Amino acid sequence: MNFGILGSGSWGTALAKVLTDNGQTIYWFNRNRKAIDHLMLRKHSAHYLTAAYFDVHQLKLTTDAAEVIAQSDCIVIAIPSAYVEATLEPLDKNAFEGKKIVSAVKGILPSQTLLLNDYLKNKFGVALQDYFTVLGPCHAEEVAAEKLSYLTFSGIDEMTTHHIAQYFKTDYLNTIENNDIFGVQYAAVLKNIYAVGAGMAHGLDYGDNFLSVLIANSADEMAGFLKMAGIKNVEVGHIHNRNHNYASSVYLGDLLVTCYSLFSRNRTFGNMIGKGYSVKSAQIEMSMVAEGYNASKSMHIINQTVKADMPIADMVYEVLWEGVDVKEAFGKIEPYLV
């Protein structure tokens, strides 16, 4: 199977490292010609995971996304959700015909409030059986440093899901498989929102005791949304049933690491908001995308239909999008936490 990667940020770079470590030659889209030239010359990215070095003979680098797709059997999309459409819109409507798509996008496309699979179906006719996700608690920095991590591959075609997952399995990366495409995507979106909230709490100088309560309530809120949205895989106590275990890595595990880790962009973004930064100032200073910002608005819109009880996610939305004072917002939510 020939792999192509769309996206050259931290996560795209980490996944490129995994595939090339396994001996794969990959087609890799980078919209910046200078970044490609630097990678070919220096053997590492100029901006992302600069300590990760590549055998450049394994890299087919191009600024043409259509070329990557045409040359690949399986395309990994690792573009921040806010920029997916700008990258894919110019493509021919049949560009993905006969291809397998692996989404590494931990967000909802904000302009249309759609999961990536829905966008690809509407725009390019990609069938759900040709769509897979790779998600879980895997900060790119730790993957690049070869610290043991776990990735969950989801797809309704279980045989192909297993086949794809094997290309990513290394001595520092374990792969898990399930068929919960929608559940893992919604969990990945929601954990970013809750991580922004956790960062806000840290910025407001709440302690670890409160933070643990906030995250525990966030986990319960996430599970409640998934149930209300029709997701079946919201159970605990079934550790060896990977399709029906909400307490496993791709659900609860990803929530925990995104809320606690210093590598978390969303936690960092929320921390700045808690310390008094405006949204715009925080975005400029970070210079990287915090998916939880747009996700908070998208999930607010989606939940108008689902109607799950989501006071923590609503609080994050109100602070980021309606200008509610962050300290006042936390003061109002404190009595509702259990």
Side-chain angles (χ1 to χ4, degrees), residues 242-253:
R242 295 176 175 182
N243 281 329
H244 300 282
N245 181 19
Y246 175 69
S248 66
S249 59
V250 75
Y251 307 98
L252 183 58

Side-chain angles (χ1 to χ4, degrees), residues 94 110 131 150 176 197 202 229 242 305:
N94 297 315
Y131 179 86
Y150 289 67
I176 303 164
H202 186 268
R242 295 176 175 182
T305 300

Side-chain angles (χ1 to χ4, degrees), residues 95-117:
F96 292 105
E97 186 174 351
K99 309 293 183 180
K100 304 299 181 185
I101 311 297
V102 176
S103 171
V105 177
K106 295 188 175 185
I108 291 179
L109 277 60
S111 68
Q112 301 186 48
T113 318
L114 291 175
L115 293 172
L116 181 59
N117 60 277

Side-chain angles (χ1 to χ4, degrees), residues 36 39 52 61 69 81 88 131 191 209 295 298:
I36 290 176
L39 183 53
L61 298 161
I69 295 167
S81 58
L88 302 186
Y131 179 86
K191 60 92 180 177
N209 291 341
S298 295

Side-chain angles (χ1 to χ4, degrees), residues 16-282:
K17 171 181 164 51
V18 172
L19 287 169
T20 54
D21 280 355
N22 275 342
Q24 293 294 304
T25 295
I26 59 172
Y27 296 85
W28 193 2
F29 165 75
N30 189 321
R31 59 187 177 85
N32 188 319
R33 169 48 63 181
K34 288 185 177 179
I36 290 176
D37 293 341
H38 182 280
L39 183 53
M40 292 299 294
L41 179 64
R42 303 294 184 183
K43 300 179 174 56
H44 67 89
S45 170
H47 304 292
Y48 303 102
L49 307 183
T50 55
Y53 281 77
F54 292 87
D55 178 351
V56 295
H57 297 99
Q58 294 176 277
L59 305 179
K60 306 294 185 182
L61 298 161
T62 177
T63 58
D64 186 353
E67 180 184 353
V68 170
I69 295 167
Q71 297 294 330
S72 306
D73 304 309
C74 184
I75 298 94
V76 179
I77 300 179
I79 303 167
S81 58
Y83 305 117
V84 167
E85 292 170 81
T87 303
L88 302 186
E89 281 291 326
L91 298 173
D92 183 84
K93 67 178 182 179
N94 297 315
F96 292 105
E97 186 174 351
K99 309 293 183 180
K100 304 299 181 185
I101 311 297
V102 176
S103 171
V105 177
K106 295 188 175 185
I108 291 179
L109 277 60
S111 68
Q112 301 186 48
T113 318
L114 291 175
L115 293 172
L116 181 59
N117 60 277
D118 292 321
Y119 168 76
L120 292 174
K121 178 183 177 181
N122 295 344
K123 176 70 176 177
F124 300 101
V126 174
L128 194 61
Q129 60 261 32
D130 293 325
Y131 179 86
F132 307 85
T133 64
V134 53
L135 297 168
C138 282
H139 285 308
E141 293 83 357
E142 291 198 354
V143 173
E146 300 186 5
K147 293 183 179 293
L148 182 62
S149 303
Y150 289 67
L151 280 177
T152 297
F153 288 79
S154 298
I156 60 173
D157 179 345
E158 295 185 5
M159 184 178 295
T160 304
T161 303
H162 177 74
H163 182 59
I164 291 172
Q166 297 313 297
Y167 286 93
F168 292 82
K169 189 174 181 63
T170 71
D171 57 357
Y172 61 86
L173 202 153
N174 282 334
T175 57
I176 303 164
E177 300 149 30
N178 78 16
N179 56 21
D180 184 24
I181 293 176
F182 295 100
V184 298
Q185 288 185 103
Y186 277 128
V189 172
L190 286 167
K191 60 92 180 177
N192 286 330
I193 300 171
Y194 297 129
V196 173
M200 290 176 177
H202 186 268
L204 289 168
D205 206 27
Y206 284 93
D208 289 341
N209 291 341
F210 175 81
L211 189 60
S212 70
V213 174
L214 179 68
I215 296 171
N217 279 260
S218 297
D220 191 58
E221 186 173 298
M222 177 192 290
F225 172 86
L226 294 179
K227 284 184 176 180
M228 292 287 288
I231 307 303
K232 306 300 184 184
N233 300 357
V234 188
E235 300 178 15
V236 295
H238 300 278
I239 193 65
H240 295 296
N241 187 342
R242 295 176 175 182
N243 281 329
H244 300 282
N245 181 19
Y246 175 69
S248 66
S249 59
V250 75
Y251 307 98
L252 183 58
D254 206 5
L255 170 67
L256 293 174
V257 75
T258 310
C259 287
Y260 278 116
S261 176
L262 297 180
F263 287 129
S264 171
R265 300 177 191 180
N266 293 284
R267 183 184 187 276
T268 300
F269 177 70
N271 183 55
M272 297 170 81
I273 300 298
K275 289 184 179 297
Y277 282 69
S278 68
V279 168
K280 190 67 175 178
S281 296

